[in-house]
């Protein structure tokens, strides 16, 4: 029989900032309440007032035969391991939050309960106040443990177990495939292992960044006379007073202004503004806060955290969103050693863009401990390969099988020149269309997408590239049409499966479901066909309650391609672990492993394991490349 549990805790650590692993290991952290149920009315143990965990429950918490359930189960695992010292293998656990996310439903217990209409089992709304009172430091906290709110806190903990059980009952109609639970278990093992962090580097960069920011702030104050250089409105007023029209100070705006003629003092201010606004430097503070005592960062990967595709999201320091380095690999190696031995003044003498250099070192903070190295490999051009595979485009698939470059191939069609005559600049100009036009971008959309690459593209050029793309790779627009027609048929005749290429669509009152070749499905909750005045389109409920989202066939193809690519990564992770590797993380389509320093053929074995394609896509021309180094870098 499954065991459902919920914990309420106290700690001086800040859970949202440190993550559950650091929080669970902090010396001040204690479990105050433990509510549990074997399917009946839940019971509660008041550990804060000396009650003991019954022997049977204590035994069941580590018994492989007893499946433990919790909402955001990673938290319960981290607390039971960190505070009680229990062994909590992920394979013994299930998580209702993960289950909800697999159906593209909200992850929060309160929001998910409202969506599923669990009624009397709904989460108590006063919980935020009670947590603030009992779970966080305050001068009166010990006295608070005996006041009238304590019983309300116990009721709140009990109600969370009721809500969790009611949610599991509601979701039972849409079981999560066992292979997905296995993928989550591996995700938990990877998060349990954590990434090795060069704490000396992190601390040195923080010290230099703080001093540099103070010096830059003082310089801006002296230049402008503004008391608060972080005040956007004061800076804009100062710039406008010098005859420069500026509406905002976003990074792209500042970059564009610096490309034009400017008064010297305005140019100087904007250059300092770039130094002060480098948000990526906050990632070092996040690393410093959340890295555990053994110099490993845990909990940086959120399973199924990225919308309906099932892809991972980054947490704590957001490894899925790291800045592109502004210096090359050799300079990164030099800068890493330099920041550990010099001060901010010396760094300013060595580099014009100190913030940019420090920001470029964020990846390298993930560094192998002594006697180890990192082996890192990623799937090459995986989304462009998988969109060709999803569309069954033999032309594009043969291109990849021959090892040819898709950007060069498209450039031959734009410029009408042979493959070998395409220049590096022409290849770059073709790249945005190859990456974006498969998802239905029109001329204005492609123009904006190219600008996100820092590339200027006229609307006329963008419209021409869209036209050429759709004609050259016609199988992809055909897939849009197939999916659109199948979606409308499935919505019209609910319950009847409709096939579109490699995908099967089915709709009921709650979901539009698209089954992937892997056997997993994507879910669109409460789907409707709506007319916005220009066209009819699919809309569905977003993860924010009450919010409807509109979509189009190109966007659905994007969801499917990213989902199929994610399923390939899941299989790759499984194969890499089976090959004996210690996986420490994965960023987008990249797998990071910690290896022995004398393991000379590790990279070849890693690539061989991750490119061993599963049965459902054995004909996909999957390929990978990578490197071995002492620290993580942009390959």
């Amino acid at each position: 029989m499954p065991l459902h549990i919920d914990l309420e805790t106290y700690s001086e650590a800040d859970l949202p900032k440190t993550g559950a692993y650091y929080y669970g290991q902090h010396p001040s952290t204690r479990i105050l309440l433990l509510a549990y149920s074997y399917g009946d009315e839940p019971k509660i143990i008041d550990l804060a007032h000396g009650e003991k965990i019954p022997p049977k429950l204590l035994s069941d918490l580590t018994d492989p035969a007893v499946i433990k359930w919790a909402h955001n189960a990673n938290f319960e695992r981290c607390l039971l391991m960190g505070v009680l010292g229990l062994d909590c293998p992920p394979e013994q656990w299930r998580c209702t939050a993960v289950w909800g996310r697999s159906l593209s439903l909200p992850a929060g217990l309160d929001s998910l309960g409202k969506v599923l209409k669990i009624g009397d089992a709904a989460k108590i709304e006063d919980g935020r106040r009670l947590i603030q009172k009992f779970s966080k430091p305050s001068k009166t906290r010990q006295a608070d443990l005996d006041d009238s709110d304590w019983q309300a806190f116990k009721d709140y903990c009990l109600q969370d177990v009721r809500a969790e059980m009611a949610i599991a009952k509601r979701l039972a109609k849409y079981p999560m495939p066992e292979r997905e639970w296995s993928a989550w278990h591996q995700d938990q093992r990877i998060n349990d292992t954590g990434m090795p962090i060069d704490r000396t580097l992190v601390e040195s960069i923080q010290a230099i960044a703080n001093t540099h920011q103070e010096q830059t702030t003082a310089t801006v104050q002296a230049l402008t006379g503004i008391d608060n250089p972080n005040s956007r409105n004061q800076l804009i007023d100062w710039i406008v007073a010098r005859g420069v029209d500026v509406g905002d100070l976003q990074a792209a705006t500042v970059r564009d202004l610096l490309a034009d003629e400017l008064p010297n003092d305005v140019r100087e201010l904007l250059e300092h503004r770039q130094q002060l606004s480098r948000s990526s430097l906050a990632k070092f503070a996040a690393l410093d806060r959340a890295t555990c005592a053994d110099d490993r960062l845990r909990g940086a990967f959120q399973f199924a955290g990225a919308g309906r595709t099932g892809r991972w999201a980054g947490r704590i320091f957001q490894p899925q969103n790291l800045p592109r380095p502004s210096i090359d690999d050799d300079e990164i190696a030099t800068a890493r050693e330099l920041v550990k031995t010099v001060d901010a003044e010396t760094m300013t003498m060595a580099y014009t863009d100190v913030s940019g250099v420090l920001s470029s070192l964020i990846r390298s903070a993930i560094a192998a401990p002594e006697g180890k190295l990192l082996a890192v490999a990623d799937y090459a051009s995986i989304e462009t390969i998988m969109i060709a595979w999803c569309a069954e485009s033999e032309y594009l698939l043969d291109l990849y099988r021959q090892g040819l470059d898709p950007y060069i191939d498209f450039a031959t069609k734009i410029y009408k020149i042979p493959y070998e005559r395409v220049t590096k600049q022409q290849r770059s100009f073709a790249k945005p269309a190859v990456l974006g036009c498969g998802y239905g971008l029109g001329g204005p959309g492609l123009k904006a997408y190219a600008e996100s690459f820092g590339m200027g593209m006229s609307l006329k050029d963008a419209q021409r590239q869209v036209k050429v793309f759709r004609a050259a790779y016609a199988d992809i627009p055909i897939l849009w049409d197939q999916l659109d027609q199948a979606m409308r048929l499935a919505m019209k005749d609910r319950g009847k499966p409709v096939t579109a290429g490699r995908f099967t669509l089915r709709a009921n009152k709650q979901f539009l479901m698209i089954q992937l070749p892997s056997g997993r499905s994507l879910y669109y909750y409460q789907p409707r066909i709506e007319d916005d005045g220009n066209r009819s389109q699919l809309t569905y409920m977003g993860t924010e309650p009450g919010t409807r989202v509109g979509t189009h066939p190109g966007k659905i193809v994007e969801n499917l391609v990213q989902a199929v690519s994610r399923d390939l990564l899941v299989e790759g992770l499984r194969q890499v672990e089976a090959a004996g590797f210690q996986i420490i993380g994965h960023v987008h389509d990249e797998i990071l492993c910690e290896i022995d320093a004398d393991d000379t053929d590790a990279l070849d074995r890693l690539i061989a394991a991750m490119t061993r394609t599963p049965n459902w896509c054995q004909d996909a021309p999957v390929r990978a490349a990578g490197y071995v180094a002492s620290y993580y870098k942009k390959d």
Side-chain angles (χ1 to χ4, degrees):
M1 183 174 290
L3 169 61
H4 291 264
I5 73 168
D6 183 71
L7 305 177
E8 299 303 334
T9 59
Y10 167 82
S11 182
E12 294 170 8
D14 189 340
L15 178 61
K17 292 183 177 180
T18 65
Y21 288 91
Y22 181 95
Y23 182 93
Q25 295 176 19
H26 195 274
S28 70
T29 301
R30 297 194 294 280
I31 298 174
L32 304 177
L33 299 170
L34 191 163
Y36 67 100
S37 170
Y38 289 94
D40 52 3
E41 179 62 20
K43 302 176 181 65
I44 195 158
I45 303 165
D46 188 343
L47 296 170
H49 287 91
E51 294 182 9
K52 303 297 183 183
I53 299 175
K56 180 183 185 309
L57 176 60
L58 196 59
S59 173
D60 286 347
L61 286 172
T62 58
D63 186 345
V66 177
I67 299 300
K68 275 70 71 174
W69 283 86
H71 195 82
N72 291 321
N74 176 257
F75 177 77
E76 270 71 19
R77 290 186 59 247
C78 287
L79 269 292
L80 293 174
M81 290 188 294
V83 177
L84 299 185
L86 299 182
D87 184 26
C88 295
E91 297 76 19
Q92 298 180 19
W93 287 77
R94 301 291 186 272
C95 177
T96 47
V98 167
W99 196 356
R101 283 200 300 270
S102 76
L103 300 170
S104 301
L105 297 175
L109 184 62
D110 184 31
S111 299
L112 183 55
K114 288 177 180 177
V115 165
L116 296 177
K117 298 181 175 61
I118 61 175
D120 293 341
K123 186 179 179 73
I124 294 174
E125 295 185 358
D126 198 29
R128 187 183 298 273
R129 180 185 69 83
L130 295 170
I131 287 173
Q132 185 68 35
K133 181 172 183 175
F134 294 117
S135 297
K136 298 183 179 182
S138 71
K139 293 180 180 178
T140 61
R141 203 190 70 81
Q142 189 56 49
D144 289 343
L145 293 179
D146 297 315
D147 75 9
S148 59
D149 272 339
W150 184 251
Q151 184 58 49
F153 197 39
K154 293 168 72 172
D155 292 341
Y156 169 77
C157 188
L158 286 164
Q159 188 70 0
D160 276 3
V161 173
R162 295 188 189 101
E164 170 193 310
M165 292 167 63
I167 285 169
K169 187 175 180 180
R170 284 279 201 276
L171 295 180
K173 188 177 179 181
Y174 303 96
M176 189 161 150
E178 281 304 314
R179 287 184 70 80
E180 283 299 294
W181 283 123
S182 295
W184 176 65
H185 294 151
Q186 184 179 27
D187 161 81
Q188 293 295 282
R189 291 193 294 272
I190 293 169
N191 277 304
D192 288 355
T193 299
M195 295 183 289
I197 301 299
D198 186 338
R199 192 183 286 274
T200 302
L201 178 75
V202 171
E203 292 172 350
S204 298
I205 287 174
Q206 278 194 281
I208 290 172
N210 290 338
T211 301
H212 180 63
Q213 187 169 35
E214 291 171 3
Q215 293 172 343
T216 304
T217 298
T219 300
V220 172
Q221 287 173 327
L223 175 67
T224 64
I226 295 173
D227 291 335
N228 180 15
N230 292 317
S231 170
R232 168 187 169 277
N233 291 337
Q234 289 184 49
L235 291 177
I236 288 175
D237 289 344
W238 188 87
I239 293 170
V240 171
R242 274 145 186 80
V244 178
D245 186 21
V246 57
D248 62 65
L249 290 175
Q250 294 181 13
T253 303
V254 172
R255 186 175 60 246
D256 291 344
L257 285 170
L258 288 170
D260 293 334
E261 293 294 325
L262 290 170
N264 290 338
D265 55 355
V266 173
R267 179 173 297 280
E268 184 179 354
L269 170 64
L270 292 177
E271 288 172 347
H272 289 313
R273 169 73 180 180
Q274 286 183 319
Q275 294 290 303
L276 289 172
S277 62
R278 191 83 65 172
S279 60
S280 56
L281 293 179
K283 292 181 182 292
F284 289 103
L287 284 174
D288 191 38
R289 282 194 304 267
T291 299
C292 296
D294 62 353
D295 291 343
R296 298 187 86 92
L297 178 76
R298 297 177 170 88
F301 305 100
Q302 176 67 70
F303 186 84
R308 66 205 62 265
T309 64
R311 300 184 93 177
W312 278 263
R315 293 293 180 261
I316 303 175
F317 88 122
Q318 300 290 345
Q320 315 285 8
N321 185 30
L322 299 178
R324 182 177 293 276
S326 61
I327 56 178
D328 62 28
D329 282 347
D330 290 339
E331 289 178 297
I332 286 176
T334 301
R336 287 185 89 254
E337 297 307 314
L338 192 60
V339 296
K340 295 179 182 181
T341 57
V342 305
D343 54 19
E345 185 175 352
T346 305
M347 284 295 291
T348 302
M349 294 170 59
Y351 299 101
T352 303
D353 181 12
V354 174
S355 292
V357 171
L358 298 180
S359 177
S360 298
L361 301 182
I362 183 67
R363 277 183 178 80
S364 74
I366 302 169
E370 187 175 355
K372 301 286 185 176
L373 290 171
L374 302 184
V376 182
D378 75 303
Y379 291 104
S381 305
I382 190 62
E383 279 198 36
T384 54
I385 289 172
M386 294 316 290
I387 193 172
W389 184 81
C390 288
E392 300 179 84
S393 172
E394 286 305 314
Y395 172 82
L396 280 170
L397 291 172
D398 284 343
L399 192 75
Y400 296 120
R401 290 178 184 124
Q402 296 171 52
L404 298 176
D405 187 313
Y407 310 136
I408 294 178
D409 182 72
F410 185 57
T412 67
K413 294 166 174 50
I414 298 172
Y415 297 105
K416 298 180 180 178
I417 56 177
Y419 187 94
E420 60 275 7
R421 286 185 54 196
V422 173
T423 67
K424 185 176 180 180
Q425 183 176 5
Q426 289 170 330
R427 177 187 181 275
S428 297
F429 196 59
K431 185 174 182 178
V434 174
L435 294 175
C437 284
Y439 302 142
L441 285 181
L446 178 57
K447 180 178 183 296
Y449 187 56
E451 288 171 356
S452 72
F453 281 79
M455 181 186 302
M457 182 181 290
S458 70
L459 180 59
K460 182 178 180 180
D461 279 337
Q463 290 171 331
R464 184 170 67 87
Q465 287 199 23
V466 168
K467 184 177 180 180
V468 172
F469 182 94
R470 295 182 181 184
Y473 312 127
D475 292 315
I476 294 174
I478 288 172
L479 179 60
W480 304 340
D481 293 340
Q482 288 176 333
L483 285 166
D484 189 48
Q485 292 174 28
M487 177 267 296
R488 293 174 188 276
L489 285 172
M491 293 284 289
K492 183 178 180 180
D493 192 357
R494 301 202 180 207
K496 181 179 179 181
V498 183
T499 300
R502 299 183 187 272
F503 306 94
T504 301
L505 292 77
R506 182 184 287 107
N508 60 23
K509 290 182 179 180
Q510 296 299 320
F511 292 102
L512 169 66
M513 296 160 280
I514 306 180
Q515 187 176 50
L516 305 173
S518 65
R520 183 172 72 98
S521 292
L522 299 193
Y523 291 82
Y524 298 80
Y525 182 55
Q526 293 188 350
R528 292 203 297 257
I529 303 294
E530 295 185 331
D531 194 328
D532 65 0
N534 296 314
R535 61 177 180 177
S536 65
Q537 63 175 348
L538 173 70
T539 70
Y540 56 90
M541 293 299 296
T543 53
E544 290 296 324
T547 303
R548 292 200 70 80
V549 178
T551 190
H552 56 84
K555 184 65 176 178
I556 293 175
V557 168
E558 182 178 23
N559 288 170
L560 295 175
V561 170
Q562 291 186 352
V564 169
S565 300
R566 174 268 189 197
D567 289 352
L568 181 66
L569 174 63
V570 166
E571 185 61 31
L573 289 167
R574 184 178 289 116
Q575 296 283 2
V576 168
E577 186 179 59
F581 284 92
Q582 178 170 279
I583 304 172
I584 61 168
H586 47 91
V587 180
H588 298 303
D589 305 309
E590 205 171 36
I591 299 176
L592 289 70
C593 299
E594 189 176 311
I595 63 170
D596 292 333
D598 59 358
D599 190 346
T600 56
D601 65 347
L603 184 60
D604 290 339
R605 299 197 323 276
L606 170 60
I607 290 172
M610 65 189 287
T611 54
R612 194 175 300 124
T613 51
N615 291 335
W616 56 265
C617 69
Q618 282 194 335
D619 58 334
V622 176
R623 52 198 184 184
Y627 63 89
V628 172
S630 59
Y631 55 82
Y632 181 42
K633 57 187 179 180
K634 181 71 173 176
D635 194 21

